[in-house]
Amino acid sequence: MRRFVLCAGTLCLLALPAPALSLLQRLFDSLVQIAVFYPDVDSTRAAFALAASGDDGFSAAAESFGDDEIPPNIAEELLGQLDNCADPGVDGADSIAAAQFTDSGGRLRRLVYGDEHFSVRAQDGGRTVTDSADGLIVRRHFDGDDRLTAQERFRIGTVSRDLALLSARTYAYHDGATLPYQMTEEITEGGKHTVTDYDENGFAVRREFSHYEQPAPDDSERADAQCRLVQDKKIVWGYDDARRLVAEETTTYSYGKTATGRETVETDVAKKFYAYDGLGGTKPDISYFENEKLRMRTVYESENVYNETMYFDGGFMVQVRYENGSKVREIVSVDGTELRRRTFAQ
């Protein structure tokens, strides 16, 4: 048989071995996997009615089975399972308007409060938690050690064809670790791709931002090529032994072409350094560089008094003093010669 998976916000069919489940269970699982979980019961019923009749994006479900195999009341049965009314192991009200449902052990399976929905389902030795409100679905997957392994965000409409994947995150863990060492996020809009690396304390130490680029239609050299991942930006963070941020480096990439068509790449590097000497309390002194040129320095005299110096090309420099959140003095100079001084009343 064929099963459904979500692929870049659309439905795709994969040829996978059929598990030892009934037809209804297999079809229901394929729909549940893409988080058809509408906050409005009428919309849910309409979506499943469309799925059964083959009038929308789930019409392929009917094609993957023979016409004589599909129960005539499949929409009702699927909706019943979604509402946990058809599950003999679940105790709940007979009406689909019930506020909450629990299993035979008294554990919460689904909660409805106004337009907000929340459900918990055991899956692959872990749990899947789904909540829905204001047209947004967030589905989180936890493994058997209660570690978050994946998170997906969907936008929903009034019918199933409006279901759209907004973003998907996956988390990777070392054996026995409770904090992830890496998170990968795919954002559908713009084809964005982000990878974040973490240290053993759970602090982000590196993040790379990229996007997927399709070959241009008029690019004869790449017309048959696959889309490629293009790096946009990279951020690297550093911490001291007290787990305080001491350095941040941001590299931005820009791309172009030469007159001969050769691709070029340029980088701009911005660096921030934080120094904790105690004069500013928890507020560190900050030095900011652009492509190795010092552009700004902030030095604290006390927690509420600091001096900010800005450096420009051509030898220009602006020195500003702040006290208790207000600017009290500004000095403009060039090559060490003062051009203007202003003071500000408090």
Side-chain angles (χ1 to χ4, degrees):
M1 67 168 285
R2 292 179 291 176
R3 299 288 304 274
F4 295 97
V5 297
L6 191 65
C7 182
T10 60
L11 285 175
C12 301
L13 290 175
L14 291 181
L16 297 177
L21 298 173
S22 68
L23 164 66
L24 184 60
Q25 289 173 314
R26 295 200 306 270
L27 186 57
F28 175 67
D29 285 346
S30 68
L31 295 175
V32 170
Q33 289 304 314
I34 60 169
V36 181
F37 188 79
Y38 292 89
D40 183 272
V41 170
D42 291 335
S43 298
T44 304
R45 188 177 295 279
F48 283 132
L50 283 169
S53 63
D55 288 336
D56 71 338
F58 291 133
S59 59
E63 297 173 4
S64 62
F65 304 99
D67 292 337
D68 56 346
E69 297 181 73
I70 300 179
N73 61 339
I74 189 171
E76 294 297 326
E77 294 187 53
L78 288 173
L79 184 60
Q81 290 200 30
L82 183 66
D83 290 317
N84 291 327
C85 295
D87 186 346
V90 175
D91 297 324
D94 293 333
S95 170
I96 58 175
Q100 70 177 40
F101 300 88
T102 57
D103 62 16
S104 56
R107 294 168 298 191
L108 180 67
R109 281 283 302 276
R110 186 179 180 203
L111 176 67
V112 180
Y113 184 80
D115 291 335
E116 299 182 28
H117 283 224
F118 173 84
S119 70
V120 182
R121 185 164 61 95
Q123 184 179 24
D124 299 329
R127 291 176 296 112
T128 296
V129 176
T130 305
D131 56 84
S132 156
D134 299 325
L136 180 69
I137 292 173
V138 179
R139 184 173 62 177
R140 300 175 178 88
H141 304 272
F142 298 85
D143 63 14
D145 296 320
D146 288 330
R147 300 181 302 189
L148 179 64
T149 58
Q151 175 180 298
E152 299 138 324
R153 297 173 65 250
F154 299 85
R155 183 180 61 246
I156 54 178
T158 56
V159 295
S160 57
R161 67 169 63 93
D162 295 331
L163 182 70
L165 176 66
L166 299 179
S167 65
R169 291 181 177 182
T170 57
Y171 298 83
Y173 298 82
H174 292 300
D175 290 342
T178 57
L179 296 174
Y181 69 83
Q182 190 175 78
M183 183 272 288
T184 302
E185 181 174 28
E186 303 282 353
I187 300 176
T188 303
E189 185 174 355
K192 298 177 183 179
H193 175 88
T194 303
V195 178
T196 305
D197 295 325
Y198 302 91
D199 63 13
E200 65 277 6
N201 298 313
F203 290 93
V205 295
R206 180 186 179 95
R207 179 171 296 158
E208 293 190 5
F209 301 85
S210 307
H211 70 275
Y212 291 98
E213 183 179 89
Q214 297 286 348
D218 58 350
D219 190 341
S220 59
E221 294 183 2
R222 301 188 61 242
D224 297 328
Q226 300 292 322
C227 66
R228 61 176 179 173
L229 197 59
V230 179
Q231 190 172 23
D232 297 315
K233 186 168 63 174
K234 177 181 66 177
I235 305 177
V236 178
W237 295 276
Y239 307 87
D240 61 13
D241 293 338
R243 302 180 182 178
R244 297 176 300 190
L245 181 66
V246 295
E248 177 180 296
E249 179 178 310
T250 302
T251 303
T252 304
Y253 302 86
S254 57
Y255 301 89
K257 285 188 177 181
T258 64
T260 60
R262 183 174 60 86
E263 293 184 347
T264 61
V265 59
E266 295 182 358
T267 59
D268 290 305
V269 181
K271 297 180 181 179
K272 286 183 180 181
F273 297 96
Y274 304 87
Y276 303 83
D277 60 7
L279 295 182
T282 59
K283 301 175 182 178
D285 296 342
I286 305 173
S287 298
Y288 173 73
F289 294 80
E290 289 182 346
N291 297 322
E292 304 302 329
K293 292 183 179 181
L294 178 63
R295 293 302 190 186
M296 182 179 293
R297 175 169 287 163
T298 303
V299 178
Y300 281 85
E301 294 183 9
S302 66
E303 188 169 355
N304 296 314
V305 177
Y306 63 94
N307 297 290
E308 187 176 83
T309 305
M310 292 167 282
Y311 303 86
F312 301 89
D313 293 337
F316 283 91
M317 182 172 66
V318 178
Q319 297 169 288
V320 183
R321 181 179 178 84
Y322 293 89
E323 296 179 0
N324 299 314
S326 300
K327 181 190 293 188
V328 297
R329 186 175 67 234
E330 178 185 87
I331 301 174
V332 180
S333 60
V334 58
D335 294 330
T337 301
E338 184 174 320
L339 300 180
R340 186 184 70 189
R341 176 187 292 256
R342 292 194 301 173
T343 58
F344 302 88
Q346 299 300 297

